[in-house]
């Protein structure tokens, strides 16, 4: 007013009420969260502190996010990237699993991601990750069992102990066990 500053407007991201517990749940199942943001360092530090995230990179351009993803992958770490904007699209595409926020996300981010959360509910993310780990364990167990069974059956067939009809039954029984285990 009359060339004198009379006030200012400050804008800040707001956290979802469940965000902190989601991050803590992810840490409990062995996930190391990394905050990659285009926001300035003060805003990034504020958000990271509220979420108990110790590793962050602020002032990120799309190529910076992509470089961070590649760096994690080079170190042998599988990467799940969650994003919603155009700036996240290259990193979503490069990550082992890209998750876009479908409701508020840009079309480019949704197209680049492997998964789009239609309702933007990230609350189920810890459950989704735990379920995927259990699923991979089951797949590995099934593969090991079926390969071992087939190897033993081949050895028994070569030695003449197992005839073709019994071999077919053993193979089918193994397939039934794998399906039941799944």
């Amino acid at each position: 007013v009359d060339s004198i500053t009379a006030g200012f407007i400050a804008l800040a991201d707001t956290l979802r009420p469940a965000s902190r517990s989601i991050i803590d749940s992810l840490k409990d199942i062995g996930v190391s969260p990394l905050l990659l943001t285009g926001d300035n360092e003060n805003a990034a530090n504020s958000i990271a502190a509220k979420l108990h995230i110790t590793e962050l990179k602020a002032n990120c351009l799309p190529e910076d996010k992509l470089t961070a993803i590649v760096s994690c992958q080079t170190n042998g770490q599988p990467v799940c990237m969650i994003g919603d904007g155009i700036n996240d699209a290259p990193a979503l595409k490069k990550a082992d699993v890209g998750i876009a926020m479908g409701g508020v996300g840009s079309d480019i981010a949704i197209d680049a991601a492997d998964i789009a959360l239609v309702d933007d509910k990230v609350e189920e993310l810890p459950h989704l990750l735990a379920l995927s780990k259990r699923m991979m364990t089951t797949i590995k167990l099934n593969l090991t069992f079926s390969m071992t069974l087939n190897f033993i059956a081949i050895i028994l067939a070569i030695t003449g102990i197992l005839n073709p009809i019994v071999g077919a039954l053993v193979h089918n029984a193994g397939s039934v066990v794998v399906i039941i285990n799944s």
Side-chain angles (χ1 to χ4, degrees):
V1 176
D2 296 326
S3 299
I4 299 173
T5 303
F8 66 92
I9 297 174
L11 301 174
D13 290 329
T14 56
L15 293 177
R16 297 172 189 220
S19 296
R20 187 173 177 174
S21 64
I22 293 168
I23 296 296
D24 290 340
S25 296
L26 290 171
K27 285 181 175 181
D28 289 344
I29 61 171
V31 173
S32 301
L34 165 63
L35 177 62
L36 301 173
T37 180
D39 292 341
N40 69 51
E41 202 154 334
N42 289 337
N45 284 327
S46 173
I47 295 292
K50 291 176 185 172
L51 295 175
H52 297 149
I53 296 176
T54 56
E55 193 175 351
L56 67 116
K57 295 181 191 300
N59 299 312
C60 289
L61 298 172
E63 56 268 18
D64 298 326
K65 293 178 182 183
L66 188 59
T67 301
I69 299 290
V70 170
S71 174
C72 290
Q73 289 172 329
T74 302
N75 293 331
Q77 299 170 315
V79 176
C80 176
M81 166 76 180
I82 303 170
D84 63 358
I86 294 171
N87 293 339
D88 297 325
L92 286 167
K93 194 71 173 169
K94 182 64 179 169
D96 297 300
V97 176
I99 301 176
M101 307 299 279
V104 297
S106 70
D107 290 341
I108 293 173
I110 293 168
D111 287 343
D114 301 304
I115 300 169
L117 299 177
V118 178
D119 57 7
D120 293 340
K121 289 190 177 181
V122 293
E123 291 84 2
E124 291 298 319
L125 196 56
H127 173 70
L128 177 67
L129 290 174
L131 186 63
S132 69
K133 284 183 180 184
R134 281 184 47 211
M135 180 189 68
M136 289 307 297
T137 300
T138 301
I139 288 170
K140 289 174 184 174
L141 179 67
N142 286 344
L143 283 172
T144 301
F145 170 76
S146 65
M147 298 261 241
T148 303
L149 181 65
N150 286 339
F151 179 75
I152 292 169
I154 288 169
I155 298 298
L156 292 174
I158 289 171
T159 60
I161 297 173
L162 201 62
N163 67 42
I165 293 174
V166 176
L169 290 173
V170 168
H171 177 73
N172 288 334
S175 295
V176 169
V177 170
V178 165
I179 290 169
I180 290 171
N181 188 48
S182 293

